[in-house]
Amino acid sequence: MANDLKPMPRLTSINRPFFEACNAGELRLQRCTACAKHVYFPRVCCPHCGGGALEWVAVSGRGTIRTHTLVRRPQHPSFFPEAPYHVLAVTLEEGPLMYSRLAGEAPEDADLIGRKVRVTFSQEAPGQKLPFFELA
Amino acid sequence: MGPGYEGVYVVGTGQTTYEKKTDKPVQRLIWEASNLALRSAGLGFRDVDGLGVTAFTLGPDNVTTMTEHMGLTCRWLFQGLYGGASGVSGMLQAARAIQHGDAEVVVIVAADAFDVTSHMNMSRNPGQHDYMGPWGYGAANGIFAMHTRLYMKEFGATREDFGRLCIAQRENAMLNPNALLRTRMGMEDYLNARPVADPLRLFDCVLPCCGADAVVLASEAVARRLDVPLIRILGGGEVHNHPADDIYRFSAGWETFAGRMWNTAGLGPRDMDFVQLYDDYPLMEFVQLEGMGFAPRGGAGTLIRDNDCTVRGTLPINTGGGQLSAGQCGASGGMIGVYEAVTQLRHEAGDRQVPDARHGVVAGYGQVSYGRGLSASACVLGRE
Ligand SMILES: [Zn+2]
């Protein structure tokens, strides 16, 4: 049944390096060769300076929780068995904001804003690992 | 030509029945609302030479094939790609076209035949689909739960602060025969509703439904011939992807154009007889009130506490119940406030009429992508 399968990203020439690095257990982001800023989500150009030369670089995998929610009623049925779970907005040490999930347990009513986290990878589909974050 | 919209009038408005389900295709809803709006103006489809359409479920049709569908020959077209900001945005752009003689009678309409299932199947932009969806982000509920939690922590807002606004809107909806949610809601009902994505619960979230809203804009030459109250756009603005570098500044940019909007109108927030906000979530209403200068940043909760936001109150907000209590017909969520504002200014709002309403402001917001909506719009409307 299609509803058992989690929605997966549409792979393109632009975002494939990110998702392939996830499968290798590595967090890689684009970095602008002109202004040296990191970029996420993957872009065709640098949203900071408009430059067109982006390179893929490994990043620390460390960040801080900017905000979060406990999703109790997921939209997609494939997530029903896992609910409730914490969805996180993580400010990575290198600058960009990454939406992800909490790996490991935390109380349902936990205030996680400002907590330090580090990346871990979760096999979310047969062919795709995704970055999750655990409390540091 | 100055920043104002002189020489352009809002001469008609229409709203279909809001329904939880319908067999009608979205094209039919577009026709129904357009027809009602034209009739309220004393005009017909043969008078129309401009059309603006916003509907998430319209594809593979589009505004051009809708002219073919309805037999219109148009000199000016607009297709709203700014989600719930498109209604106001389309009006402002149509007004510029009319000012310059590129059109004389324009219908701006939004519609969707949306239920929970089609909401789930709707094709989403990459920001949501590829970089949030695989993590089970909870769709718009999850996105705005995260904004709401951070706002509550930064400004000390409480669930009760949001509840007061939702309850006032429900009271307004009880006076609106076309609203889908018309049972009285108390604070305990609001606070104890089914949790969805913490801190959001059921009555923080809109009810997806089916329907359409439309307005008709006309040149002064046409408007003066009609037997309708003359309503003008006194000021307005829109902005997209603001601020470009921070999703969590509790802004989609209303403050970037609000000063100019109020100056052009020669009016300020305190002169408004009502406020129609884009209420996909009560947090976004707080952000709009703050961005448009009704309250300082973080101060909307106090504003709501100090005012009565029902149609009989000191600061009537979403006088028909808004999307939270009337329903969200997809993209028409960006037009329900326009319809309601024009209906109030025409003094045709029945039991929910704000007495002698002369001036009101309408805000739009939409195109939710990576963690937030990208488009903000607003306009001030006034009755001559
Ligand atoms: Zn750059």
Side-chain angles (χ1 to χ4, degrees):
Chain A
M1 203 173 84
N3 280 349
D4 295 339
L5 298 174
K6 290 184 175 173
M8 282 293 117
R10 297 167 290 213
L11 294 183
T12 67
S13 60
I14 299 303
N15 68 20
R16 189 169 281 113
F18 172 77
F19 290 107
E20 284 182 351
C22 291
N23 281 342
E26 191 177 35
L27 194 64
R28 294 174 78 82
L29 302 185
Q30 290 170 308
R31 186 174 59 192
C32 176
T33 58
C35 75
K37 287 191 174 164
H38 289 80
V39 174
Y40 184 82
F41 56 89
R43 305 292 219 282
V44 298
C45 65
C46 172
H48 305 289
C49 75
L54 299 170
E55 59 182 353
W56 286 96
V57 296
V59 294
S60 68
R62 287 190 296 270
T64 307
I65 297 176
R66 185 82 180 270
T67 182
H68 61 101
T69 180
L70 185 76
V71 171
R72 295 175 183 271
R73 308 273 304 185
Q75 188 192 39
H76 198 281
S78 61
F79 293 100
F80 288 171
E82 296 167 26
Y85 50 82
H86 293 279
V87 166
L88 311 176
V90 176
T91 305
L92 298 173
E93 208 169 67
E94 292 79 10
L97 187 93
M98 180 175 285
Y99 290 103
S100 182
R101 287 257 303 270
L102 183 72
E105 297 297 311
E108 289 191 356
D109 61 352
D111 175 7
L112 303 175
I113 292 174
R115 295 287 300 271
K116 301 286 184 199
V117 289
R118 64 175 165 256
V119 75
T120 176
F121 290 89
S122 174
Q123 191 81 47
E124 290 297 288
Q128 190 62 62
K129 287 185 187 174
L130 292 175
F132 278 35
F133 287 83
E134 56 191 13
L135 295 173
Chain B
M1 199 163 286
Y5 299 88
E6 295 80 7
V8 180
Y9 290 86
V10 181
V11 295
T13 193
Q15 181 176 69
T16 67
T17 302
Y18 277 27
E19 296 176 289
K20 287 185 183 169
K21 281 194 186 308
T22 184
D23 295 329
K24 294 172 187 168
V26 66
Q27 293 85 349
R28 174 73 184 188
L29 297 170
I30 288 169
W31 172 81
E32 276 186 25
S34 303
N35 189 46
L36 289 166
L38 285 164
R39 281 167 178 268
S40 79
L43 292 166
F45 280 97
R46 70 189 174 285
D47 299 305
V48 174
D49 63 356
L51 179 66
V53 175
T54 308
F56 296 122
T57 51
L58 184 56
D61 263 317
N62 55 53
V63 65
T64 318
T65 63
M66 281 308 298
T67 64
E68 176 189 44
H69 203 99
M70 298 195 286
L72 306 174
T73 297
C74 288
R75 300 191 285 151
W76 181 90
L77 297 178
F78 165 91
Q79 180 148 12
L81 298 173
Y82 327 115
S86 304
V88 170
S89 182
M91 275 178 63
L92 296 177
Q93 296 187 36
R96 289 289 180 232
I98 291 169
Q99 277 187 307
H100 290 271
D102 292 340
E104 237 185 349
V105 174
V106 177
V107 173
I108 299 291
V109 56
D112 266 308
F114 244 172
D115 53 32
V116 174
T117 314
S118 55
H119 210 263
M120 200 181 84
N121 293 336
M122 115 187 215
S123 124
R124 296 184 188 278
N125 50 42
Q128 277 191 76
H129 182 280
D130 299 324
Y131 308 110
M132 301 189 84
W135 287 264
Y137 70 126
N141 294 334
I143 286 177
F144 289 96
M146 285 190 274
H147 284 277
T148 303
R149 180 189 294 273
L150 189 59
Y151 182 98
M152 290 170 75
K153 178 143 186 180
E154 288 205 5
F155 299 115
T158 64
R159 291 272 306 144
E160 285 82 353
D161 290 334
F162 299 113
R164 282 183 197 95
L165 182 51
C166 295
I167 289 165
Q169 288 189 204
R170 180 61 62 85
E171 288 190 30
N172 293 339
M174 290 166 67
L175 302 171
N176 176 6
N178 206 23
L180 286 173
L181 297 173
R182 271 175 291 164
T183 48
R184 183 172 295 283
M185 176 167 70
M187 186 61 83
E188 292 305 309
D189 302 320
Y190 171 83
L191 293 175
N192 298 323
R194 193 181 78 208
V196 173
D198 295 4
L200 301 184
R201 290 176 181 250
L202 187 62
F203 298 125
D204 296 300
C205 307
V206 299
L207 175 66
C209 65
C210 311
D213 296 81
V215 286
V216 182
L217 278 69
S219 66
E220 181 156 12
V222 171
R224 295 276 177 209
R225 291 203 304 267
L226 304 173
D227 182 25
V228 294
L230 291 177
I231 295 164
R232 277 193 47 217
I233 302 170
L234 301 176
E238 64 184 270
V239 68
H240 308 272
N241 194 36
H242 175 89
D245 61 351
D246 190 354
I247 293 169
Y248 290 110
R249 217 179 293 166
F250 306 117
S251 167
W254 286 278
E255 69 277 13
T256 65
F257 61 77
R260 192 175 53 126
M261 175 176 81
W262 294 123
N263 283 339
T264 305
L267 298 167
R270 284 183 196 160
D271 300 313
M272 295 299 103
D273 297 313
F274 58 79
V275 181
Q276 312 293 351
L277 301 171
Y278 190 85
D279 57 335
D280 55 346
Y281 298 90
L283 179 270
M284 284 315 301
E285 300 184 79
F286 279 34
V287 170
Q288 287 157 56
L289 287 167
E290 294 166 10
M292 292 193 293
F294 286 86
R297 184 67 74 217
T302 304
L303 178 80
I304 300 299
R305 209 176 308 144
D306 293 346
N307 281 280
D308 174 353
C309 299
T310 68
V311 295
R312 307 274 179 258
T314 47
L315 182 65
I317 293 178
N318 291 5
T319 50
Q323 301 177 72
L324 288 169
S325 281
Q328 181 189 58
C329 310
S332 210
M335 279 292 292
I336 184 175
V338 174
Y339 166 80
E340 184 64 24
V342 175
T343 301
Q344 289 285 347
L345 293 173
R346 287 168 65 102
H347 299 167
E348 292 172 350
D351 291 342
R352 67 183 192 281
Q353 180 66 48
V354 174
D356 194 35
R358 315 293 299 180
H359 301 109
V361 63
V362 189
Y365 173 63
Q367 192 56 252
V368 175
S369 182
Y370 189 64
R372 61 166 168 176
L374 293 175
S375 297
S377 59
C379 68
V380 180
L381 298 174
R383 177 184 173 126
E384 280 195 349

